[in-house]
């Protein structure tokens, strides 16, 4: 029955210009500037064998913001963003954004009711939300749309054009962590002709020291750390790791994690949830629940100095 819902949902979004990712419940609409509006169906941990519970996530991904993340993670140009990468994200609920946001289908009657309600809510909200794909609208209405995050939106859009006086003013007044990433990107904005966009892994700062001994570098870094944590401690784990690498972990990161572990399974290589923490160094955190328990397996990947890897190992032992 849920597959029936997804098919109807996909057909409705197609009418708004969205394309569905093959084999996934992710839908994207691209702007002429390369920005992406994403609609994603996310399973909830409250789902059972007789009831499918899910969320409808919506997010705006700005091209320069995503390009900066993609470079730091060394991802290929073909990699597409998810809702967790949005500079703005919310959920479509029963009445308003982020209000009554958990949908459930358990029988034919609820399938019909949920399908009707979702269709109505999508038709009510998407036309307004899709205005975010117009950059002129973003500049004019940034404060109303994003509140305290408005400076980031304006800064990322300006960064795509290179250094500028207004950009420097915004970065000077903004949070140091986010400002650093934006300033770094503005010095080398997106260039479709650039050979560095061919998917090669970006050189990390410690790798650029040509005078250091490569054998010593290999022994001073670790590519991965793994362990386990209680499910209730996962948010605390991510916040602590973020603090170690200077990444600003906020409510949007926490929202992206909500319900994300519901369909994970640490006994399957294809059933892990991945989440990037864009600090220095950038890290990719892999999470998956152990079947029948509240324990979450954790694997943190990145080029980590020994001291950072040790701190993460210790944290996993404590949580």
């Amino acid at each position: 029955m849920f597959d029936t819902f997804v098919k109807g949902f996909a057909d409705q979004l197609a009418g708004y210009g969205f394309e569905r990712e093959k084999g996934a419940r992710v839908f994207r609409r691209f702007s002429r500037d390369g920005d992406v509006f994403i609609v994603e169906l996310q399973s909830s941990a409250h789902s059972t064998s007789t009831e499918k519970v899910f969320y409808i996530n919506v997010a705006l991904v700005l091209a320069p913001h995503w390009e900066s993340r993609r470079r730091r993670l060394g991802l290929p140009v073909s990699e597409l963003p998810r809702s967790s990468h949005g500079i703005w994200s919310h959920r479509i609920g029963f009445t308003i954004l982020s209000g009554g946001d958990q949908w459930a289908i358990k029988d034919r009657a609820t399938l019909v009711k949920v399908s009707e309600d979702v269709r109505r809510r999508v038709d009510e909200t998407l036309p307004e939300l899709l205005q975010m794909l117009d950059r002129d609208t973003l500049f004019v209405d940034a404060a109303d749309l994003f509140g305290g995050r408005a400076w980031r939106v304006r800064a990322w859009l300006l960064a795509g054009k290179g250094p500028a006086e207004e950009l420097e003013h915004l970065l000077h007044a903004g949070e140091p962590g986010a400002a650093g990433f934006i300033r770094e990107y503005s010095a080398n904005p997106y260039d479709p002709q650039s050979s560095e966009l061919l998917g090669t892994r970006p050189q990390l700062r410690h790798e650029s020291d040509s005078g250091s001994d490569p054998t010593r570098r290999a022994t001073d870094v670790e590519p991965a750390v793994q362990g386990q944590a209680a499910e209730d401690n996962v948010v605390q784990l991510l916040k602590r790791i973020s603090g170690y690498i200077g990444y600003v972990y906020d409510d949007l990161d926490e929202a992206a994690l909500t319900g994300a572990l519901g369909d994970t399974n640490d006994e399957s290589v294809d059933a892990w949830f991945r989440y990037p923490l864009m600090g220095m160094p950038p890290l990719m955190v892999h999470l998956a629940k152990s079947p029948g328990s509240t324990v979450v397996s954790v694997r943190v990947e990145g080029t980590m100095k020994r001291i950072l890897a040790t701190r993460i190992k210790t944290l996993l032992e404590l949580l």
Side-chain angles (χ1 to χ4, degrees):
M1 285 186 290
F2 185 62
D3 288 340
T4 299
F5 166 80
V6 174
K7 184 180 184 303
F9 187 69
D11 290 342
Q12 182 183 13
L13 292 184
Y16 284 97
F18 284 83
E19 301 175 4
R20 182 178 181 180
E21 179 179 334
K22 185 176 181 180
R25 296 164 184 159
V26 183
F27 309 84
R28 300 179 180 89
R29 175 171 165 176
F30 294 82
S31 75
R32 64 180 181 274
D33 298 303
D35 303 329
V36 192
F37 197 89
I38 299 175
V39 180
E40 186 172 323
L41 298 177
Q42 175 191 330
S43 296
S44 167
H46 295 99
S47 295
T48 66
S49 58
T50 59
E51 183 178 39
K52 183 67 174 182
V53 184
F54 62 97
Y55 303 96
I56 303 175
N57 299 328
V58 292
L60 173 69
V61 177
L62 294 180
H65 185 219
W66 166 244
E67 174 62 16
S68 174
R69 285 195 173 195
R70 188 192 66 75
R71 290 180 188 178
R72 288 177 175 277
L73 291 174
L75 299 175
V77 178
S78 59
E79 186 80 10
L80 295 175
R82 304 291 295 263
S83 64
S84 57
H85 301 127
I87 197 166
W88 173 93
S89 63
H90 275 286
R91 284 175 171 158
I92 293 181
F94 306 151
T95 54
I96 58 174
L97 287 172
S98 294
D101 56 8
Q102 199 173 73
W103 302 87
I105 296 175
K106 61 181 178 180
D107 51 30
R108 185 67 58 182
T110 53
L111 168 63
V112 173
K113 181 67 166 60
V114 168
S115 296
E116 291 177 349
D117 288 345
V118 167
R119 176 171 290 278
R120 174 179 55 82
R121 291 297 299 130
V122 166
D123 286 339
E124 289 174 348
T125 57
L126 267 191
E128 180 178 353
L129 295 179
L130 288 176
Q131 294 181 46
M132 293 183 184
L133 290 179
D134 181 344
R135 289 192 172 182
D136 291 336
T137 298
L138 288 185
F139 271 102
V140 173
D141 299 333
D144 293 334
L145 292 171
F146 307 106
R149 284 178 168 264
W151 79 269
R152 291 193 189 185
V153 174
R154 293 181 64 88
W156 275 114
L157 295 179
L158 289 169
K161 302 176 182 178
E165 182 176 349
E166 181 184 357
L167 175 60
E168 281 304 312
H169 175 74
L170 290 170
L171 297 182
H172 180 73
E175 297 100 329
F181 292 136
I182 298 172
R183 182 175 283 109
E184 179 180 309
Y185 177 82
S186 71
N188 183 25
Y190 180 81
D191 176 7
Q193 304 303 315
S194 173
S195 59
E196 72 97 30
L197 295 181
L198 296 179
T200 56
R201 185 172 63 87
Q203 187 181 49
L204 300 178
R205 289 182 182 177
H206 70 270
E207 295 177 324
S208 63
D209 182 5
S210 58
S212 61
D213 177 11
T215 303
R216 181 180 179 182
R217 287 205 308 268
T219 59
D220 284 347
V221 300
E222 294 189 28
V225 172
Q226 55 189 11
Q228 293 183 321
E231 185 175 5
D232 291 343
N233 292 336
V234 168
V235 170
Q236 182 183 357
L237 171 70
L238 295 181
K239 286 182 176 179
R240 294 286 293 277
I241 294 176
S242 297
Y244 296 159
I245 62 176
Y247 174 72
V248 182
Y249 188 95
D250 57 22
D251 56 334
L252 290 181
D253 295 288
E254 193 163 339
L257 188 67
T258 303
L261 302 182
D263 290 337
T264 60
N265 184 339
D266 64 1
E267 295 179 357
S268 171
V269 295
D270 298 322
W272 287 64
F273 174 75
R274 299 189 309 160
Y275 197 75
L277 298 177
M278 303 305 299
M280 186 59 70
L283 301 176
M284 179 66 76
V285 182
H286 301 251
L287 304 167
K289 293 180 64 176
S290 297
S293 76
T294 58
V295 174
V296 176
S297 293
V298 181
R299 180 178 175 84
V300 182
E301 296 181 349
T303 307
M304 295 171 279
K305 290 185 177 180
R306 182 66 56 82
I307 187 170
L308 173 60
T310 300
R311 295 180 74 181
I312 295 176
K313 288 177 183 177
T314 302
L315 183 60
L316 286 169
E317 292 172 357
L318 294 175
L319 297 178

